[in-house]
Amino acid sequence: MNTNTDFTGAPLLPEDASTANVIGMTTQKPATALFPSGSRRERPGVLALTIGFGLVAVCLIGLFTSPSAAVGGAWCIAMMLVLLFLSVPVAIALSVPSIIGVYAVSGIPATMNILSTAPFSAVSDWTLSVLPMFIFMAMLLTQSGLSGKVYRVADHWFSWLPGGIGIGTTFAGAGLSAVTGSTIGMTYALGRAGIPEMLKAGYDKRMAVGTIMVAGMTGNLIPPSILMVIYAGIASVPVGPALMAGALPGIVLAVCFAAFIFAVGVFVPRLVGRGQAATDTTNPTTPERPTTTWRDRFTSLASVWGFAIILVVLFGGMFSGIFTPTEAGAAAALCSLLLCLWEKRGDGPWRKVAESAMDTVAATSAIFFIMIGATMLTSLLAITGLAPILTGLITDLGLSRIGFLLVLILLYIVMGMFFDTLSMMLLTIPILLPTLETMGVSPLWFGVFVVLLGEFAMVTPPVGIIPYIVHSIAKNPEVNLGATVTLRDIFISLLWFLPVVVIFLILMVAAPGMTEWLPELIERTSGGMSG
């Protein structure tokens, strides 16, 4: 994947670029990229490319001289990893080794079969039609400017609490990343808006950047979660239950972060600026943060009335049984369309809709290509017999369910050094799914666990991507307000917050029913939600 572009091919925001609609400023073209996938890795140099292609050649030689199909499959997995490390687009890195491997093991007929069937079978499931609906909704809400309003409302409502601005930022981050489907995109936006606001209020700089880094971890669990829809497609589980499975864990984790910030505000008030003037102590010229009244709080709700309607349509429709998840996604997209037309009336509303539609087509196509690659990988594992061998190896290790999950946590933390959450999911889920039944792990629970692990890996020092993104944002003078935020400050702040995630992961392992309670409730009240 090109580290300077997102899934749509649009350039990523530069460090000093203003984030459209979030801090009250605009750019020439708002950043509507759904999945910005920035990485601290540079593009491979000549030496890296030479070594990389040399390793690919070694993998090819090993594949075509393999004594067995399983060994050939292992060479294909190695080739796939080399291509991913060379920043080759994920879809190509998944599909090309799979096609070559099927040809080497089974010949031309099997290769023609996978080429003719995998693209259709990967994306033709009716339940996946909700994916472009959710993406279209996200694009329209970004274009309408609702993203910035959600942050302002959260800020107004929680700013009176100890650590209130951080609490508001946490809930705003959960909402924004859920709506946009992008933790990294939300981090860019919320970092530029939230860090200076917290510094103005006297927050310790480490508390400010730490809040931003964990704010979006819950968004890809709370519906409409695009990653959960993708997981449902790969794992062949119903989309409706998969969406609802992540809702309660996502909300509980956001509440845990908010409770931690509140506790810091009570027991270590200096870290959240309590008792200090709401100005930045490092820069006396910084304007005072305005006082928020209860009238301001209730008035601010009027700016997000459209968002409330969308939530009622989405969740109310599914809870009542009026809509299936697919129909609810279409209805929510329609509401978002009408909202965008209303909010941008007089400002080229149809142009905004057209841009959203084009971005939706580009993002959906990119995701579908990646899912096709994942399907080809699954076919390779089946044809070479590698899947049952891997399952047998894991079983032979004698790991308990908890031991198996602990190994997965370590695996994802390491993978977070190189890949975003979606890439990690698509690379590992086809390999791990056959072992779930053996280990007594529910596919619904596993989907939530994998998405959360992917988000956790992206913020874990020293390998996660998010800390380096926040560090680059915090180097901007308009963001840091004269304070110096070092990489050491970034890592220290994460050491404060990450124990909350670890405790929550332990809670998930100990109480797996957390993920299945809401899907079962909706099943009982609506009579089913599989479509």
Side-chain angles (χ1 to χ4, degrees), residues 401-415:
R401 173 178 174 272
I402 293 178
F404 171 67
L405 297 176
L406 290 176
V407 170
L408 283 187
I409 291 174
L410 295 176
L411 172 66
Y412 272 78
I413 289 175
V414 173
M415 291 184 67

Side-chain angles (χ1 to χ4, degrees), residues 99 101-118 383:
I99 294 171
V102 171
Y103 170 74
V105 171
S106 299
I108 293 180
T111 306
M112 296 303 295
N113 181 63
I114 192 175
L115 288 172
S116 61
T117 60
I383 290 173

Side-chain angles (χ1 to χ4, degrees), residues 299-529:
T299 302
S300 69
L301 292 176
S303 65
V304 293
W305 60 269
F307 189 62
I309 291 176
I310 292 171
L311 291 179
V312 170
V313 169
L314 190 63
F315 293 104
M318 285 192 287
F319 265 105
S320 64
I322 297 175
F323 296 137
T324 66
T326 302
E327 293 165 347
L334 176 61
C335 291
S336 301
L337 171 62
L338 298 176
L339 176 64
C340 184
L341 292 175
W342 173 258
E343 292 287 342
K344 291 301 179 180
R345 62 190 184 279
D347 187 26
W350 289 107
R351 178 174 56 83
K352 304 290 186 183
V353 172
E355 290 178 359
S356 297
M358 293 298 294
D359 289 339
T360 299
V361 171
T364 304
S365 302
I367 293 173
F368 278 177
F369 273 118
I370 294 174
M371 292 182 69
I372 291 169
T375 300
M376 291 181 174
L377 172 60
T378 303
S379 299
L380 172 73
L381 295 175
I383 290 173
T384 59
L386 200 57
I389 291 176
L390 291 173
T391 302
L393 287 175
I394 295 174
T395 304
D396 292 341
L397 290 175
L399 296 174
S400 64
R401 173 178 174 272
I402 293 178
F404 171 67
L405 297 176
L406 290 176
V407 170
L408 283 187
I409 291 174
L410 295 176
L411 172 66
Y412 272 78
I413 289 175
V414 173
M415 291 184 67
M417 179 177 183
F418 306 103
F419 312 122
D420 57 26
T421 305
L422 179 60
S423 302
M424 287 187 280
M425 287 174 56
L426 291 167
L427 184 61
T428 58
I429 288 172
I431 298 174
L432 295 174
L433 275 177
T435 66
L436 297 185
E437 185 176 353
T438 304
M439 292 294 173
V441 177
S442 163
L444 281 182
W445 183 93
F446 185 69
V448 177
F449 188 68
V450 165
V451 171
L452 180 56
L453 275 183
E455 297 296 303
F456 180 56
M458 290 178 67
V459 301
T460 306
V463 296
I465 293 173
I466 294 293
Y468 299 92
I469 292 175
V470 172
H471 181 238
S472 69
I473 296 170
K475 289 190 294 186
N476 190 321
E478 294 180 3
V479 173
N480 61 41
L481 303 181
T484 301
V485 181
T486 65
L487 202 55
R488 182 174 181 271
D489 294 326
I490 297 286
F491 289 162
I492 289 175
S493 69
L494 282 172
L495 292 178
W496 296 352
F497 281 90
L498 290 186
V500 178
V501 188
V502 174
I503 294 172
F504 184 78
L505 284 170
I506 295 172
L507 177 63
M508 273 194 67
V509 173
M514 183 194 307
T515 62
E516 299 177 359
W517 175 78
L518 189 56
E520 291 175 356
L521 175 63
I522 299 180
E523 185 74 22
R524 292 194 301 268
T525 57
S526 67
M529 56 171 181

Side-chain angles (χ1 to χ4, degrees), residues 137-157:
M137 179 185 70
M139 298 294 185
L140 288 167
L141 291 178
T142 302
Q143 289 280 11
S144 68
L146 191 63
S147 303
K149 295 176 182 178
V150 168
Y151 174 74
R152 292 304 177 194
V153 169
D155 183 17
H156 283 155
W157 274 91

Side-chain angles (χ1 to χ4, degrees), residues 126-314:
W126 166 248
T127 57
L128 288 179
S129 60
V130 74
L131 185 61
M133 295 297 100
F134 281 163
I135 294 175
F136 190 43
M137 179 185 70
M139 298 294 185
L140 288 167
L141 291 178
T142 302
Q143 289 280 11
S144 68
L146 191 63
S147 303
K149 295 176 182 178
V150 168
Y151 174 74
R152 292 304 177 194
V153 169
D155 183 17
H156 283 155
W157 274 91
F158 294 102
S159 58
W160 62 279
L161 291 168
I165 303 174
I167 294 172
T169 300
T170 297
F171 287 123
L176 290 176
S177 58
V179 168
T180 62
S182 171
T183 304
I184 295 177
M186 183 286 307
T187 301
Y188 274 109
L190 203 60
R192 292 187 60 85
I195 291 175
E197 291 295 326
M198 285 184 272
L199 292 179
K200 287 177 188 177
Y203 274 56
D204 185 280
K205 59 186 178 181
R206 293 165 294 184
M207 197 70 189
V209 296
T211 301
I212 295 298
M213 282 186 283
V214 301
M217 285 187 65
T218 61
N220 279 313
L221 296 176
I222 302 172
S225 170
I226 294 171
L227 289 181
M228 290 304 297
V229 175
I230 294 173
Y231 172 80
I234 300 172
S236 299
V237 298
V239 169
L243 282 171
M244 291 298 104
L248 183 60
I251 293 171
V252 171
L253 181 56
V255 171
C256 289
F257 283 134
F260 172 75
I261 296 172
F262 179 82
V264 170
V266 171
F267 295 105
V268 196
R270 62 181 178 81
L271 294 180
V272 295
R274 293 193 72 203
Q276 301 180 23
T279 56
D280 175 44
T281 57
T282 64
N283 188 356
T285 64
T286 301
E288 290 191 1
R289 181 180 167 84
T291 302
T292 303
T293 65
W294 282 101
R295 180 178 180 181
D296 294 332
R297 294 185 179 100
F298 283 104
T299 302
S300 69
L301 292 176
S303 65
V304 293
W305 60 269
F307 189 62
I309 291 176
I310 292 171
L311 291 179
V312 170
V313 169
L314 190 63

